Amino acid sequence: MKLNKEQLLDMFSKMVLIRQFETRVKKSFADGDIPGFIHLSAGQEAIAVGCITNLREDDYIVSHHRGHGHLIAKGGNINFMMAELYGKKTGYCKGKGGSMHLADMDINMLGAHGIVGSTVTISTGAGLSAKLRKSGQVTLCFLGDGASNTGRFHEGINLAAIWDLPIVIIIENNFYAEATSIFYSTRLKKLSDRAIAYGIPGETIDSNDVLEIYEKVGKAIDRARKGKGPSLIEIQTYRHFGHEEGDTETYKKKSEIEAWLKKEPIELLKRRLIKDGILTEKEAERINQKMKNEVEEAVKFAKESPYPEPEETLEDVYA
Amino acid sequence: MRILTYREAIIEALKEEMERDPSIFIMGEDIGEHWQGSVKEFEGLWPKFGAERIRETPISETAFLGCAIGAAMTGMRPIANVMFASFLGVPMDEIFSQVTKMRYMFGGKTKMPVTIMCLSGGGMNAAAQHSVCLEGMLMSVPGLKMVSPSTPYDAKGLLKSAIRDDNPVIFFQNLFLTISGFKGEVPENDYTIPLGEAVIRNEGDDVTVVAIGNMVHTALSAAGKLKQENISLEVVDPRCMAPLDEKTIIESVKKTGKIVILDEEPKIGSAASEIAAIIAEQAIEYLDAPVKRVCAPNTPIPFSPPLEKYWLPDENKLIEAIHSII
Ligand SMILES: Cc1ncc(C[n+]2csc(CCOP(=O)(O)OP(=O)(O)O)c2C)c(N)n1
């Protein structure tokens, strides 16, 4: 499980790519180029990359409304992503899904899902399917802290637990559900304590450290792959932007924002890699610029792509 | 031909399909070892296929319907048994927002071969929380198919088609026909019935009666009685409410010029209402009389036998409606 230099740099690059993608999407949205609702995950990159780097190519992920980072970490194509956000025909979902429903079945990314909490039960299905087919595939399920208050979270984990399904459930605790603080919406101090109710391991990772996340989630994935059943992992993090674009974030305290910016995940990894002699400032800047350029290419691809024909509205209802 | 009960025909369809395709499995409460279905509607399957494929679940309709979605997206053909149609309210989000929308939202890049089975309809004094028919409400959900078989033959053939279909299909197993041991001819051979093809149960010239589910038998009985008055009914059984065979219904109305729709749902927003609208839109010039809907009143279904009897559409109400337009 020890990561070599190449893997570490790949993780760094992916995190930077997610950040650049999100930053650019923010701009395109403000420019009025991207319609609908946009939920950015900037600040949470360590989770997407730390968790997903552990996966085999044929493993599944199920993502939620804040899912751009997950798809990028799984190897998604940012041109198709951006085109989908722009509502273009060349997008991942031919312009029918948008930001909240990005999916790539070719790389077993089973979709972003806009109904909060639904990822848990859908993951049990992918897990059961893998188990019945004896494929050895693991499913990573992402949900937010707010989603862990829904009924289906509890039913889903219970089902996964009694059937020893090969899934790992990741609560991305960014402390807010829209504007509602998790300190208001539950009495629990640690959301991973919810695992106790289902007799499965639960763990809280209270850092934005991608390597710690990689290692701890890796253990849960191994456990799942060995047929020992699901785990619940809460990872604490912070979204840099509002719940959705346009959110004025009146509910966040200034001191809180400052404290979290000190634990900024990309900076954290960068300093670590520089200290270990794996990366230099200059190389980091080069990677940053490279990812920026790739994102600009994606924007260009999206802008130049055609919209779907109106009649395509009627397609894809039934198989 | 061989005679089977409605229940046996359904079990036989499940058994044959599960033998044919190892990716099919069933999930639900109390479908395994001890009960094999709350009204024995899965009898014999657990001994044959075991706990892996006849998968008992905790009471968590949301979880196992969601689970069916994930399984369907990853190569399986799950059947989720929600026991009673009345319980569909619990995983309704999985139905109207998830299983039926995912293919579309993902630009056609996934299939959703999920079959949802449930016991549907009144007549057993099971009261308001165990007796509903939901066809009308669910017809407004794009991406969903649903079947409401009225005979053992149809139940077997339509269930096989539902399981083989790559879309979400709700199979409304009629509660009354299941418990009452309703019998009919079922051939030995493997057959399917295409989803979306109505059948004419009785040919006639005077009035078209479109009847849904168990109401088909009420309509047929009325047809027998009215024959003595020289009124001939054409009884159309749509079998699938989605996709709905509009053509057969419209053709029949063109022939008779009169239509009564018999549907065991409260009238407002019922399947009958949708059919009435289709006739108004596409065949109004063929009508010699107003469209009639014989439905339940707009209340929950009551428990006490005289109340349930009053509530359910029946032969007398149907005959009365026919007399009013003839
Ligand atoms: C079932 C459901 N209820 C409400 C919403 C509206 N909604 C969208 S995101 C969100 C907050 C989710 O919070 P959390 O799960 O913590 O994820 P985060 O947005 O913080 O990443 C809400 C309430 C929804 N999409 N689905």
Tab-separated table of all heavy atoms in Angstrom, chain A residues 60 92-94 96-97 101 105 110 113 115 118 121-122 124-125 128-129 132-133 152 155 159 163 313 315-316 318-319, chain B residues 25 52 55-56 58 60 62-63 66-67 70-71 73-74 76 93-94 98 102-107 109 143-144 167:
chain	number	residue	atom	x	y	z
A	60	TYR	N	-16.711	0.117	-8.240
A	60	TYR	CA	-17.783	1.095	-8.480
A	60	TYR	C	-17.684	2.276	-7.528
A	60	TYR	O	-17.259	2.123	-6.380
A	60	TYR	CB	-19.150	0.449	-8.252
A	60	TYR	CG	-19.480	-0.679	-9.186
A	60	TYR	CD1	-19.529	-1.992	-8.732
A	60	TYR	CD2	-19.764	-0.438	-10.527
A	60	TYR	CE1	-19.854	-3.043	-9.592
A	60	TYR	CE2	-20.091	-1.471	-11.384
A	60	TYR	CZ	-20.132	-2.771	-10.918
A	60	TYR	OH	-20.455	-3.787	-11.759
A	92	TYR	N	-21.556	14.024	-21.036
A	92	TYR	CA	-21.671	12.638	-20.579
A	92	TYR	C	-23.086	12.084	-20.722
A	92	TYR	O	-23.281	10.925	-21.028
A	92	TYR	CB	-21.264	12.551	-19.106
A	92	TYR	CG	-19.855	12.058	-18.897
A	92	TYR	CD1	-18.915	12.824	-18.231
A	92	TYR	CD2	-19.468	10.800	-19.350
A	92	TYR	CE1	-17.623	12.359	-18.026
A	92	TYR	CE2	-18.180	10.330	-19.156
A	92	TYR	CZ	-17.262	11.109	-18.500
A	92	TYR	OH	-15.996	10.639	-18.299
A	93	CYS	N	-24.069	12.912	-20.488
A	93	CYS	CA	-25.464	12.444	-20.509
A	93	CYS	C	-26.252	13.098	-21.635
A	93	CYS	O	-27.469	13.224	-21.552
A	93	CYS	CB	-26.124	12.719	-19.173
A	93	CYS	SG	-25.171	12.152	-17.763
A	94	LYS	N	-25.557	13.514	-22.677
A	94	LYS	CA	-26.189	14.148	-23.836
A	94	LYS	C	-27.023	15.368	-23.443
A	94	LYS	O	-28.051	15.673	-24.054
A	94	LYS	CB	-27.093	13.148	-24.582
A	94	LYS	CG	-26.381	11.875	-25.020
A	94	LYS	CD	-27.350	11.058	-25.858
A	94	LYS	CE	-27.187	9.571	-25.671
A	94	LYS	NZ	-28.367	8.825	-26.074
A	96	LYS	N	-28.820	15.691	-20.786
A	96	LYS	CA	-30.066	15.391	-20.065
A	96	LYS	C	-29.883	15.382	-18.558
A	96	LYS	O	-30.863	15.354	-17.809
A	96	LYS	CB	-30.594	14.034	-20.519
A	96	LYS	CG	-30.993	14.011	-21.975
A	96	LYS	CD	-32.214	13.140	-22.183
A	96	LYS	CE	-32.672	13.151	-23.610
A	96	LYS	NZ	-32.000	12.146	-24.414
A	97	GLY	N	-28.625	15.342	-18.112
A	97	GLY	CA	-28.393	15.172	-16.678
A	97	GLY	C	-27.895	16.423	-15.983
A	97	GLY	O	-28.401	16.806	-14.941
A	101	HIS	N	-26.136	14.958	-12.187
A	101	HIS	CA	-26.376	13.582	-12.627
A	101	HIS	C	-25.286	13.067	-13.550
A	101	HIS	O	-25.546	12.248	-14.435
A	101	HIS	CB	-27.748	13.472	-13.297
A	101	HIS	CG	-28.840	14.020	-12.435
A	101	HIS	ND1	-29.175	13.456	-11.239
A	101	HIS	CD2	-29.627	15.106	-12.574
A	101	HIS	CE1	-30.144	14.174	-10.673
A	101	HIS	NE2	-30.430	15.177	-11.463
A	105	MET	N	-20.692	5.068	-17.114
A	105	MET	CA	-20.826	3.625	-16.905
A	105	MET	C	-19.578	2.872	-17.380
A	105	MET	O	-19.296	1.778	-16.913
A	105	MET	CB	-22.053	3.087	-17.648
A	105	MET	CG	-23.353	3.705	-17.190
A	105	MET	SD	-23.706	3.380	-15.460
A	105	MET	CE	-24.781	4.760	-15.084
A	110	LEU	N	-21.243	5.067	-11.171
A	110	LEU	CA	-22.678	4.800	-11.334
A	110	LEU	C	-23.546	6.033	-11.101
A	110	LEU	O	-24.680	5.941	-10.668
A	110	LEU	CB	-23.118	3.677	-10.393
A	110	LEU	CG	-22.369	2.343	-10.532
A	110	LEU	CD1	-22.902	1.333	-9.532
A	110	LEU	CD2	-22.461	1.790	-11.952
A	113	HIS	N	-26.143	11.470	-7.840
A	113	HIS	CA	-27.570	11.351	-7.557
A	113	HIS	C	-28.035	12.540	-6.734
A	113	HIS	O	-27.473	12.834	-5.688
A	113	HIS	CB	-27.851	10.034	-6.845
A	113	HIS	CG	-27.492	8.844	-7.696
A	113	HIS	ND1	-28.379	8.272	-8.571
A	113	HIS	CD2	-26.327	8.198	-7.874
A	113	HIS	CE1	-27.781	7.300	-9.237
A	113	HIS	NE2	-26.526	7.222	-8.827
A	115	ILE	N	-30.933	13.037	-5.246
A	115	ILE	CA	-31.793	12.804	-4.086
A	115	ILE	C	-30.872	12.411	-2.934
A	115	ILE	O	-30.240	11.358	-2.956
A	115	ILE	CB	-32.820	11.688	-4.359
A	115	ILE	CG1	-33.634	11.987	-5.617
A	115	ILE	CG2	-33.699	11.501	-3.137
A	115	ILE	CD1	-34.726	12.989	-5.475
A	118	SER	N	-29.744	8.793	-1.296
A	118	SER	CA	-30.068	7.644	-2.158
A	118	SER	C	-28.825	6.844	-2.532
A	118	SER	O	-28.914	5.670	-2.898
A	118	SER	CB	-30.777	8.114	-3.426
A	118	SER	OG	-29.906	8.916	-4.206
A	121	THR	N	-28.412	3.330	-0.628
A	121	THR	CA	-29.146	2.136	-1.046
A	121	THR	C	-28.712	1.682	-2.437
A	121	THR	O	-28.607	0.482	-2.692
A	121	THR	CB	-30.665	2.388	-1.019
A	121	THR	OG1	-30.947	3.573	-1.758
A	121	THR	CG2	-31.154	2.562	0.403
A	122	ILE	N	-28.432	2.614	-3.307
A	122	ILE	CA	-27.967	2.219	-4.645
A	122	ILE	C	-26.644	1.461	-4.515
A	122	ILE	O	-26.421	0.450	-5.194
A	122	ILE	CB	-27.829	3.459	-5.548
A	122	ILE	CG1	-29.216	4.063	-5.815
A	122	ILE	CG2	-27.163	3.098	-6.879
A	122	ILE	CD1	-29.189	5.429	-6.465
A	124	THR	N	-25.737	-0.411	-2.067
A	124	THR	CA	-25.972	-1.792	-1.598
A	124	THR	C	-26.276	-2.685	-2.795
A	124	THR	O	-25.894	-3.853	-2.808
A	124	THR	CB	-27.141	-1.893	-0.584
A	124	THR	OG1	-28.357	-1.540	-1.228
A	124	THR	CG2	-26.913	-1.036	0.636
A	125	GLY	N	-26.945	-2.127	-3.782
A	125	GLY	CA	-27.277	-2.921	-4.967
A	125	GLY	C	-26.048	-3.290	-5.780
A	125	GLY	O	-25.890	-4.424	-6.228
A	128	LEU	N	-24.277	-5.871	-3.709
A	128	LEU	CA	-24.913	-7.189	-3.778
A	128	LEU	C	-24.638	-7.844	-5.130
A	128	LEU	O	-24.338	-9.042	-5.214
A	128	LEU	CB	-26.420	-7.049	-3.546
A	128	LEU	CG	-27.253	-8.323	-3.696
A	128	LEU	CD1	-26.773	-9.416	-2.744
A	128	LEU	CD2	-28.735	-8.028	-3.452
A	129	SER	N	-24.731	-7.035	-6.166
A	129	SER	CA	-24.482	-7.548	-7.510
A	129	SER	C	-23.058	-8.109	-7.610
A	129	SER	O	-22.836	-9.218	-8.118
A	129	SER	CB	-24.721	-6.405	-8.493
A	129	SER	OG	-24.135	-6.639	-9.720
A	132	LEU	N	-22.925	-11.380	-5.696
A	132	LEU	CA	-23.595	-12.498	-6.369
A	132	LEU	C	-22.788	-12.961	-7.583
A	132	LEU	O	-22.746	-14.146	-7.899
A	132	LEU	CB	-25.012	-12.085	-6.806
A	132	LEU	CG	-26.023	-11.886	-5.679
A	132	LEU	CD1	-27.330	-11.318	-6.221
A	132	LEU	CD2	-26.295	-13.197	-4.954
A	133	ARG	N	-22.149	-12.023	-8.246
A	133	ARG	CA	-21.345	-12.385	-9.421
A	133	ARG	C	-19.941	-12.819	-9.030
A	133	ARG	O	-19.136	-13.180	-9.877
A	133	ARG	CB	-21.280	-11.192	-10.395
A	133	ARG	CG	-22.598	-10.914	-11.106
A	133	ARG	CD	-22.496	-9.738	-12.089
A	133	ARG	NE	-22.398	-8.463	-11.418
A	133	ARG	CZ	-21.298	-7.699	-11.360
A	133	ARG	NH1	-20.178	-8.085	-11.958
A	133	ARG	NH2	-21.313	-6.545	-10.721
A	152	ARG	N	-33.080	6.373	4.582
A	152	ARG	CA	-32.489	5.372	3.692
A	152	ARG	C	-31.018	5.109	4.028
A	152	ARG	O	-30.509	4.045	3.730
A	152	ARG	CB	-32.651	5.782	2.234
A	152	ARG	CG	-32.211	7.186	1.926
A	152	ARG	CD	-32.124	7.389	0.430
A	152	ARG	NE	-33.377	7.115	-0.242
A	152	ARG	CZ	-34.250	8.030	-0.631
A	152	ARG	NH1	-34.015	9.295	-0.415
A	152	ARG	NH2	-35.341	7.692	-1.254
A	155	GLU	N	-31.472	2.340	6.724
A	155	GLU	CA	-31.937	1.080	6.112
A	155	GLU	C	-30.867	0.469	5.228
A	155	GLU	O	-30.667	-0.735	5.202
A	155	GLU	CB	-33.175	1.343	5.245
A	155	GLU	CG	-34.425	1.643	6.011
A	155	GLU	CD	-35.655	1.611	5.124
A	155	GLU	OE1	-35.585	1.082	3.984
A	155	GLU	OE2	-36.700	2.108	5.553
A	159	LEU	N	-28.901	-3.155	5.691
A	159	LEU	CA	-28.943	-4.195	4.660
A	159	LEU	C	-27.516	-4.613	4.277
A	159	LEU	O	-27.194	-5.799	4.186
A	159	LEU	CB	-29.676	-3.645	3.433
A	159	LEU	CG	-30.311	-4.642	2.481
A	159	LEU	CD1	-31.373	-5.457	3.208
A	159	LEU	CD2	-30.953	-3.914	1.300
A	163	TRP	N	-25.893	-8.477	5.069
A	163	TRP	CA	-25.479	-9.284	3.919
A	163	TRP	C	-23.960	-9.211	3.673
A	163	TRP	O	-23.475	-9.689	2.651
A	163	TRP	CB	-26.229	-8.829	2.657
A	163	TRP	CG	-27.686	-9.197	2.674
A	163	TRP	CD1	-28.312	-10.090	3.497
A	163	TRP	CD2	-28.716	-8.690	1.801
A	163	TRP	NE1	-29.662	-10.154	3.207
A	163	TRP	CE2	-29.932	-9.309	2.162
A	163	TRP	CE3	-28.723	-7.771	0.748
A	163	TRP	CZ2	-31.139	-9.046	1.512
A	163	TRP	CZ3	-29.933	-7.500	0.099
A	163	TRP	CH2	-31.128	-8.139	0.490
A	313	THR	N	-35.195	15.408	-26.656
A	313	THR	CA	-35.956	15.365	-25.403
A	313	THR	C	-36.712	14.048	-25.268
A	313	THR	O	-36.867	13.518	-24.174
A	313	THR	CB	-36.999	16.510	-25.403
A	313	THR	OG1	-36.317	17.728	-25.619
A	313	THR	CG2	-37.763	16.575	-24.101
A	315	GLU	N	-36.027	11.100	-26.434
A	315	GLU	CA	-35.252	9.848	-26.451
A	315	GLU	C	-34.796	9.438	-25.051
A	315	GLU	O	-34.715	10.264	-24.163
A	315	GLU	CB	-34.008	10.030	-27.341
A	315	GLU	CG	-34.362	10.228	-28.800
A	315	GLU	CD	-33.166	10.673	-29.633
A	315	GLU	OE1	-32.039	10.709	-29.113
A	315	GLU	OE2	-33.385	10.993	-30.813
A	316	ASP	N	-34.469	8.162	-24.934
A	316	ASP	CA	-33.838	7.594	-23.731
A	316	ASP	C	-34.771	7.397	-22.546
A	316	ASP	O	-34.308	7.188	-21.428
A	316	ASP	CB	-32.629	8.442	-23.257
A	316	ASP	CG	-31.557	8.556	-24.339
A	316	ASP	OD1	-31.314	7.548	-25.021
A	316	ASP	OD2	-30.999	9.648	-24.500
A	318	TYR	N	-37.191	4.905	-22.415
A	318	TYR	CA	-37.205	3.440	-22.251
A	318	TYR	C	-36.034	2.815	-22.994
A	318	TYR	O	-35.567	3.348	-24.001
A	318	TYR	CB	-38.501	2.847	-22.811
A	318	TYR	CG	-39.724	3.223	-22.036
A	318	TYR	CD1	-40.648	4.123	-22.557
A	318	TYR	CD2	-39.964	2.682	-20.772
A	318	TYR	CE1	-41.788	4.475	-21.837
A	318	TYR	CE2	-41.096	3.028	-20.051
A	318	TYR	CZ	-42.004	3.926	-20.592
A	318	TYR	OH	-43.117	4.271	-19.879
A	319	ALA	N	-35.583	1.681	-22.485
A	319	ALA	CA	-34.516	0.937	-23.161
A	319	ALA	C	-35.093	0.220	-24.368
A	319	ALA	O	-36.253	-0.137	-24.371
A	319	ALA	CB	-33.908	-0.068	-22.207
B	25	PHE	N	-32.887	-12.448	-9.279
B	25	PHE	CA	-33.095	-12.827	-7.883
B	25	PHE	C	-34.231	-11.994	-7.319
B	25	PHE	O	-34.611	-10.978	-7.908
B	25	PHE	CB	-31.801	-12.676	-7.067
B	25	PHE	CG	-31.326	-11.267	-6.900
B	25	PHE	CD1	-31.632	-10.544	-5.755
B	25	PHE	CD2	-30.565	-10.637	-7.883
B	25	PHE	CE1	-31.195	-9.233	-5.592
B	25	PHE	CE2	-30.126	-9.321	-7.725
B	25	PHE	CZ	-30.443	-8.626	-6.581
B	52	GLU	N	-29.835	-17.305	-1.230
B	52	GLU	CA	-29.041	-16.360	-2.007
B	52	GLU	C	-29.900	-15.656	-3.062
B	52	GLU	O	-29.757	-14.469	-3.317
B	52	GLU	CB	-27.902	-17.134	-2.682
B	52	GLU	CG	-26.954	-16.261	-3.445
B	52	GLU	CD	-25.599	-16.137	-2.775
B	52	GLU	OE1	-25.546	-16.090	-1.531
B	52	GLU	OE2	-24.608	-16.106	-3.509
B	55	ARG	N	-34.137	-13.745	-1.502
B	55	ARG	CA	-33.367	-12.995	-0.532
B	55	ARG	C	-34.296	-12.277	0.423
B	55	ARG	O	-34.949	-11.308	0.072
B	55	ARG	CB	-32.524	-11.988	-1.323
B	55	ARG	CG	-31.308	-11.529	-0.631
B	55	ARG	CD	-30.352	-10.966	-1.666
B	55	ARG	NE	-29.276	-11.885	-1.875
B	55	ARG	CZ	-28.203	-11.967	-1.097
B	55	ARG	NH1	-28.072	-11.173	-0.069
B	55	ARG	NH2	-27.277	-12.836	-1.355
B	56	GLU	N	-34.331	-12.786	1.641
B	56	GLU	CA	-35.181	-12.163	2.641
B	56	GLU	C	-34.565	-10.834	3.090
B	56	GLU	O	-33.366	-10.771	3.329
B	56	GLU	CB	-35.288	-13.117	3.827
B	56	GLU	CG	-36.550	-12.970	4.571
B	56	GLU	CD	-37.187	-14.331	4.864
B	56	GLU	OE1	-36.680	-15.064	5.719
B	56	GLU	OE2	-38.191	-14.639	4.214
B	58	PRO	N	-34.817	-7.223	5.688
B	58	PRO	CA	-35.505	-6.585	6.816
B	58	PRO	C	-36.665	-5.744	6.276
B	58	PRO	O	-36.795	-5.576	5.061
B	58	PRO	CB	-34.426	-5.683	7.423
B	58	PRO	CG	-33.142	-6.108	6.812
B	58	PRO	CD	-33.462	-6.722	5.491
B	60	SER	N	-37.615	-2.917	5.069
B	60	SER	CA	-36.920	-1.712	4.596
B	60	SER	C	-37.096	-1.595	3.096
B	60	SER	O	-36.184	-1.818	2.317
B	60	SER	CB	-35.439	-1.759	4.983
B	60	SER	OG	-34.873	-3.028	4.749
B	62	THR	N	-37.462	0.914	1.236
B	62	THR	CA	-36.594	1.915	0.619
B	62	THR	C	-35.241	1.302	0.300
B	62	THR	O	-34.699	1.478	-0.789
B	62	THR	CB	-36.417	3.103	1.588
B	62	THR	OG1	-37.694	3.669	1.807
B	62	THR	CG2	-35.476	4.144	1.032
B	63	ALA	N	-34.708	0.566	1.265
B	63	ALA	CA	-33.375	-0.011	1.074
B	63	ALA	C	-33.378	-1.035	-0.049
B	63	ALA	O	-32.525	-1.011	-0.935
B	63	ALA	CB	-32.882	-0.651	2.363
B	66	GLY	N	-33.968	0.524	-3.511
B	66	GLY	CA	-32.728	1.204	-3.893
B	66	GLY	C	-31.656	0.196	-4.271
B	66	GLY	O	-30.913	0.370	-5.239
B	67	CYS	N	-31.613	-0.878	-3.526
B	67	CYS	CA	-30.646	-1.952	-3.790
B	67	CYS	C	-30.908	-2.562	-5.176
B	67	CYS	O	-29.970	-2.844	-5.931
B	67	CYS	CB	-30.772	-3.005	-2.695
B	67	CYS	SG	-29.616	-4.354	-2.827
B	70	GLY	N	-29.262	-0.345	-7.852
B	70	GLY	CA	-27.816	-0.543	-7.984
B	70	GLY	C	-27.482	-1.878	-8.619
B	70	GLY	O	-26.555	-1.995	-9.433
B	71	ALA	N	-28.251	-2.896	-8.262
B	71	ALA	CA	-28.000	-4.231	-8.822
B	71	ALA	C	-28.326	-4.244	-10.321
B	71	ALA	O	-27.595	-4.829	-11.126
B	71	ALA	CB	-28.817	-5.276	-8.072
B	73	MET	N	-28.211	-1.766	-12.383
B	73	MET	CA	-27.215	-0.985	-13.136
B	73	MET	C	-25.920	-1.764	-13.342
B	73	MET	O	-25.093	-1.382	-14.147
B	73	MET	CB	-26.864	0.302	-12.379
B	73	MET	CG	-27.957	1.309	-12.338
B	73	MET	SD	-27.494	2.638	-11.206
B	73	MET	CE	-26.605	3.699	-12.318
B	74	THR	N	-25.740	-2.803	-12.551
B	74	THR	CA	-24.465	-3.511	-12.590
B	74	THR	C	-24.626	-4.960	-13.061
B	74	THR	O	-23.831	-5.826	-12.705
B	74	THR	CB	-23.792	-3.482	-11.207
B	74	THR	OG1	-24.709	-3.989	-10.230
B	74	THR	CG2	-23.397	-2.072	-10.814
B	76	MET	N	-27.463	-7.207	-12.941
B	76	MET	CA	-28.412	-8.199	-12.442
B	76	MET	C	-29.832	-7.839	-12.901
B	76	MET	O	-30.071	-6.749	-13.413
B	76	MET	CB	-28.363	-8.259	-10.905
B	76	MET	CG	-26.977	-8.478	-10.329
B	76	MET	SD	-26.209	-10.044	-10.838
B	76	MET	CE	-27.182	-11.242	-9.925
B	93	ASP	N	-40.080	7.376	-3.627
B	93	ASP	CA	-39.002	8.177	-4.214
B	93	ASP	C	-38.140	7.337	-5.141
B	93	ASP	O	-37.742	7.786	-6.218
B	93	ASP	CB	-38.141	8.772	-3.100
B	93	ASP	CG	-36.968	9.536	-3.661
B	93	ASP	OD1	-37.213	10.482	-4.417
B	93	ASP	OD2	-35.817	9.172	-3.366
B	94	GLU	N	-37.876	6.097	-4.725
B	94	GLU	CA	-37.090	5.205	-5.582
B	94	GLU	C	-37.831	4.972	-6.896
B	94	GLU	O	-37.210	4.774	-7.938
B	94	GLU	CB	-36.850	3.851	-4.882
B	94	GLU	CG	-35.688	3.830	-3.921
B	94	GLU	CD	-35.865	4.722	-2.703
B	94	GLU	OE1	-37.015	5.047	-2.334
B	94	GLU	OE2	-34.848	5.122	-2.129
B	98	GLN	N	-36.047	7.863	-8.995
B	98	GLN	CA	-34.791	7.174	-9.233
B	98	GLN	C	-34.887	6.140	-10.356
B	98	GLN	O	-34.382	6.363	-11.451
B	98	GLN	CB	-34.286	6.557	-7.934
B	98	GLN	CG	-34.021	7.645	-6.870
B	98	GLN	CD	-33.464	7.070	-5.600
B	98	GLN	OE1	-32.653	6.169	-5.630
B	98	GLN	NE2	-33.905	7.575	-4.475
B	102	MET	N	-33.296	7.471	-14.074
B	102	MET	CA	-31.851	7.366	-14.225
B	102	MET	C	-31.407	7.158	-15.652
B	102	MET	O	-30.470	7.776	-16.122
B	102	MET	CB	-31.336	6.240	-13.361
B	102	MET	CG	-30.519	6.789	-12.230
B	102	MET	SD	-30.250	5.510	-11.070
B	102	MET	CE	-30.958	6.314	-9.656
B	103	ARG	N	-32.077	6.274	-16.344
B	103	ARG	CA	-31.690	6.044	-17.735
B	103	ARG	C	-31.735	7.358	-18.519
B	103	ARG	O	-30.810	7.695	-19.237
B	103	ARG	CB	-32.620	5.003	-18.367
B	103	ARG	CG	-32.357	4.821	-19.848
B	103	ARG	CD	-33.281	3.811	-20.476
B	103	ARG	NE	-33.114	3.895	-21.914
B	103	ARG	CZ	-32.098	3.368	-22.568
B	103	ARG	NH1	-31.185	2.683	-21.925
B	103	ARG	NH2	-31.982	3.522	-23.866
B	104	TYR	N	-32.807	8.077	-18.324
B	104	TYR	CA	-32.983	9.337	-19.053
B	104	TYR	C	-31.925	10.363	-18.655
B	104	TYR	O	-31.247	10.942	-19.512
B	104	TYR	CB	-34.386	9.882	-18.767
B	104	TYR	CG	-34.763	11.062	-19.621
B	104	TYR	CD1	-35.209	10.868	-20.921
B	104	TYR	CD2	-34.697	12.361	-19.134
B	104	TYR	CE1	-35.565	11.945	-21.715
B	104	TYR	CE2	-35.046	13.441	-19.922
B	104	TYR	CZ	-35.479	13.228	-21.216
B	104	TYR	OH	-35.823	14.294	-21.996
B	105	MET	N	-31.764	10.546	-17.359
B	105	MET	CA	-30.797	11.549	-16.879
B	105	MET	C	-29.373	11.242	-17.317
B	105	MET	O	-28.566	12.140	-17.504
B	105	MET	CB	-30.799	11.597	-15.351
B	105	MET	CG	-32.043	12.167	-14.743
B	105	MET	SD	-31.873	12.426	-12.961
B	105	MET	CE	-31.123	10.927	-12.377
B	106	PHE	N	-29.084	9.958	-17.440
B	106	PHE	CA	-27.736	9.565	-17.832
B	106	PHE	C	-27.618	9.427	-19.351
B	106	PHE	O	-26.702	8.786	-19.869
B	106	PHE	CB	-27.325	8.263	-17.140
B	106	PHE	CG	-27.249	8.345	-15.631
B	106	PHE	CD1	-27.227	7.207	-14.848
B	106	PHE	CD2	-27.206	9.575	-14.986
B	106	PHE	CE1	-27.161	7.286	-13.462
B	106	PHE	CE2	-27.143	9.669	-13.600
B	106	PHE	CZ	-27.127	8.521	-12.844
B	107	GLY	N	-28.529	10.021	-20.067
B	107	GLY	CA	-28.435	10.042	-21.520
B	107	GLY	C	-28.565	8.663	-22.149
B	107	GLY	O	-27.955	8.396	-23.186
B	109	LYS	N	-27.551	5.831	-20.962
B	109	LYS	CA	-26.380	4.975	-20.815
B	109	LYS	C	-26.531	3.886	-19.760
B	109	LYS	O	-25.559	3.231	-19.401
B	109	LYS	CB	-25.159	5.844	-20.520
B	109	LYS	CG	-24.921	6.880	-21.613
B	109	LYS	CD	-23.480	6.931	-22.063
B	109	LYS	CE	-23.294	7.986	-23.141
B	109	LYS	NZ	-23.002	9.309	-22.594
B	143	GLY	N	-41.289	6.634	-17.863
B	143	GLY	CA	-40.204	5.678	-17.652
B	143	GLY	C	-40.625	4.421	-16.937
B	143	GLY	O	-39.845	3.485	-16.788
B	144	LEU	N	-41.866	4.389	-16.495
B	144	LEU	CA	-42.360	3.226	-15.763
B	144	LEU	C	-43.289	2.415	-16.659
B	144	LEU	O	-44.022	2.967	-17.456
B	144	LEU	CB	-43.140	3.709	-14.527
B	144	LEU	CG	-43.575	2.662	-13.504
B	144	LEU	CD1	-42.374	1.975	-12.882
B	144	LEU	CD2	-44.424	3.316	-12.417
B	167	ASN	N	-36.617	-2.288	-18.597
B	167	ASN	CA	-37.113	-1.087	-17.919
B	167	ASN	C	-37.779	-1.475	-16.603
B	167	ASN	O	-38.141	-2.622	-16.414
B	167	ASN	CB	-38.143	-0.380	-18.816
B	167	ASN	CG	-37.545	0.031	-20.137
B	167	ASN	OD1	-36.764	0.965	-20.192
B	167	ASN	ND2	-37.869	-0.694	-21.203
